[in-house]
């Protein structure tokens, strides 16, 4: 199997204590390599991201049985010459990963199949594989503090096209904190600089913490595991962190329209139109009732299940 991934994750061993696995590509590179490498399969990956891939990266490759390009609809964005050379290196299936299979089949790319995560009917050029979460990293590990974990600020607050509610959500959570010192608020703030977000509460409010830099996946998972609530701040094409939080036993909170319809049907959640309708006591009650059940629901979404579906598609279609 040939996997088109990223250069910094092409090593034979990926140390989860050190490597920062943060992106769509990172997760697929690591987990596909992990699950498809066994006694009967050898996985090799090259730098094949949308912007960085070149024909030179295909030089010297030996022949593979199958190939998966994990950049979003990657081969649609690459040159015809790149695909034609890649085709000579792969005996069977060439596939690409994507969040969804929306749109005209002509926009999928030249590969055999598009493998997508959001539930929707398959067609002749696409197959559903679902969402994957590492259940050995994400699991409930709660403490005495009721903890609200807030997603990162992805877009500038004055962006009229890409809505981001970080300011509104943070104000609400700080208000909760000021009225109840037995809770804590943690926010992922590693995109604050890119989003031009100035946090007025950072280093000023007791019980509020900002994670300002990207951290290794094992460290990030601990924040999800300790949290009671995951609060989404912006629209998502898929929303992997919602699934990771559910695997950790968090109740999911987010504004309506921020997540694809029906994607979170399996989970315990609070979806709202007006943030003023959200109360601390409602979130506490939901967490006490449903944290363990949330984990049970999330166990449908493991990397083992995703890779089993991929293997079935490669072998049977």
């Amino acid at each position: 199997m040939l996997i088109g991934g990223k250069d910094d994750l092409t090593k034979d061993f990926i140390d989860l204590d050190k490597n920062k696995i943060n992106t769509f590509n990172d997760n697929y590179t690591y987990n596909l390599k992990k699950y498809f490498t066994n006694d009967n399969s050898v996985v090799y990956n090259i730098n094949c991201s949308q912007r960085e891939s070149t024909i030179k990266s295909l030089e010297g490759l030996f022949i593979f049985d199958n190939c998966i390009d994990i950049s979003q609809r990657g081969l649609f964005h690459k040159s015809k010459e790149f695909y034609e050379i890649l085709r000579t290196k792969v005996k069977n299936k060439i596939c690409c990963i994507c969040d969804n299979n929306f749109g005209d089949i002509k926009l999928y790319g030249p590969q055999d199949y598009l493998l997508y995560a959001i539930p929707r009917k398959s067609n002749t050029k696409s197959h559903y594989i679902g969402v994957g979460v590492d259940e050995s990293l994400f699991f409930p590990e709660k403490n005495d503090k009721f903890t609200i974990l807030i997603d990162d600020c992805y877009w500038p607050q004055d962006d009229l096209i890409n809505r981001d509610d970080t300011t509104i959500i943070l104000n609400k959570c700080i208000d909760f904190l000021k009225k109840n010192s037995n809770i804590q608020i943690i926010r992922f703030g590693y995109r604050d600089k890119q989003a031009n977000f100035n946090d007025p509460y950072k280093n000023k409010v007791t019980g509020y913490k900002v994670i300002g830099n990207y951290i290794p996946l094992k460290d990030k998972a601990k924040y999800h595991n300790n949290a009671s609530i995951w609060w989404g701040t912006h629209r998502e094409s898929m929303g992997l962190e919602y699934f990771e939080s559910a695997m950790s036993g968090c109740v999911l909170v987010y504004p309506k329209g921020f997540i694809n319809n029906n994607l979170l049907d399996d989970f315990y959640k609070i979806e709202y139109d007006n943030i003023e309708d959200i109360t601390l006591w409602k979130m506490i009650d939901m967490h006490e009732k449903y944290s363990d059940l949330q984990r049970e629901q999330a166990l449908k979404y493991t990397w083992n299940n995703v890779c089993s579906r991929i293997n079935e598609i490669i072998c049977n279609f």
Side-chain angles (χ1 to χ4, degrees):
M1 168 108 44
L2 173 66
I3 296 178
K6 288 173 59 180
D7 270 348
D8 55 350
L9 294 179
T10 57
K11 300 171 185 176
D12 291 335
F13 175 72
I14 298 173
D15 188 346
L16 284 181
D17 288 313
K18 298 177 182 178
N19 285 84
K20 299 175 178 63
I21 299 177
N22 302 302
T23 68
F24 175 97
N25 284 12
D26 296 346
N27 271 282
Y28 276 98
T29 300
Y30 170 72
N31 285 289
L32 265 62
K33 193 167 185 179
K34 174 182 175 182
Y35 281 94
F36 281 113
T37 299
N38 54 51
D39 292 340
N40 301 314
S41 176
V42 176
V43 174
Y44 179 83
N45 61 290
I46 59 172
N47 186 346
C48 201
S49 62
Q50 285 183 16
R51 297 179 181 177
E52 300 169 7
S53 59
T54 63
I55 293 172
K56 187 176 181 180
S57 66
L58 300 177
E59 293 178 358
L61 286 182
F62 44 88
I63 303 301
F64 291 86
D65 292 313
N66 300 286
C67 172
I68 299 178
D69 184 332
I70 62 170
S71 56
Q72 292 261 10
R73 302 195 183 203
L75 289 172
F76 175 77
H77 298 280
K78 296 180 175 71
S79 69
K80 180 181 179 182
E81 185 180 7
F82 182 95
Y83 175 73
E84 289 175 347
I85 294 175
L86 178 63
R87 183 75 270 181
T88 66
K89 307 286 186 178
V90 181
K91 291 190 292 185
N92 299 315
K93 300 292 192 302
I94 296 178
C95 302
C96 281
I97 299 290
C98 191
D99 287 347
N100 59 66
N101 70 337
F102 301 159
D104 193 318
I105 289 178
K106 295 177 182 177
L107 300 177
Y108 288 3
Q111 72 282 336
D112 295 299
Y113 298 124
L114 188 72
L115 308 177
Y116 63 95
I118 295 175
R120 196 167 180 265
K121 187 177 181 180
S122 298
N123 55 46
T124 56
K125 287 281 287 183
S126 68
H127 290 280
Y128 170 74
I129 58 173
V131 179
V133 178
D134 189 334
E135 72 277 19
S136 69
L137 283 180
F138 294 90
F139 53 87
E141 197 172 36
K142 313 307 178 187
N143 51 44
D144 293 336
K145 285 275 189 180
F146 183 83
T147 302
I148 300 173
L149 182 60
I150 304 175
D151 198 0
D152 64 327
C153 179
Y154 201 84
W155 302 106
Q157 298 300 279
D158 58 356
D159 190 324
L160 300 180
I161 299 175
N162 300 294
R163 178 181 161 193
D164 188 297
D165 281 6
T166 297
T167 297
I168 299 170
I169 292 166
L170 182 56
N171 287 342
K172 185 72 171 178
C173 289
I174 295 298
D175 186 54
F176 289 150
L177 181 60
K178 289 179 178 178
K179 295 175 181 177
N180 191 321
S181 61
N182 197 39
I183 70 170
Q184 65 178 348
I185 312 297
I186 298 174
R187 186 177 69 83
F188 290 136
Y190 31 70
R191 282 187 55 86
D192 285 0
K193 186 175 181 180
Q194 294 96 314
N196 296 317
F197 181 68
N198 183 25
D199 188 338
Y201 307 108
K202 185 177 180 180
N203 301 323
K204 296 179 181 179
V205 177
T206 302
Y208 172 55
K209 178 179 181 180
V210 179
I211 311 302
N213 298 304
Y214 285 108
I215 56 178
L217 186 61
K218 272 192 174 180
D219 295 336
K220 183 177 183 294
K222 291 175 184 177
Y223 286 106
H224 291 268
N225 297 344
N226 294 157
S228 314
I229 297 292
W230 167 258
W231 202 319
T233 59
H234 54 270
R235 288 191 176 99
E236 299 271 12
S237 60
M238 183 181 73
L240 177 61
E241 288 175 303
Y242 285 77
F243 288 83
E244 292 171 340
S245 299
M247 191 70 81
S248 299
C250 300
V251 171
L252 311 177
V253 180
Y254 56 94
K256 284 184 179 178
F258 273 29
I259 291 292
N260 190 277
N261 288 340
N262 306 320
L263 186 59
L264 301 179
D265 280 353
D266 287 336
F267 299 127
Y268 297 95
K269 57 190 180 292
I270 303 173
E271 188 182 33
Y272 61 88
D273 284 313
N274 187 343
I275 197 170
E276 296 307 315
D277 295 334
I278 303 299
T279 66
L280 178 60
W281 311 117
K282 181 177 181 179
M283 291 192 295
I284 291 174
D285 181 63
M286 287 276 290
H287 178 257
E288 289 178 347
K289 288 179 178 177
Y290 301 123
S291 180
D292 290 339
L293 294 173
Q294 190 83 302
R295 163 80 174 183
E296 291 180 18
Q297 293 294 95
L299 285 170
K300 301 174 186 177
Y301 301 94
T302 64
W303 281 107
N304 187 58
N305 288 343
V306 168
C307 292
S308 293
R309 291 189 188 107
I310 291 175
N311 193 55
E312 182 180 354
I313 292 164
I314 287 174
C315 293
N316 298 328
F317 289 92

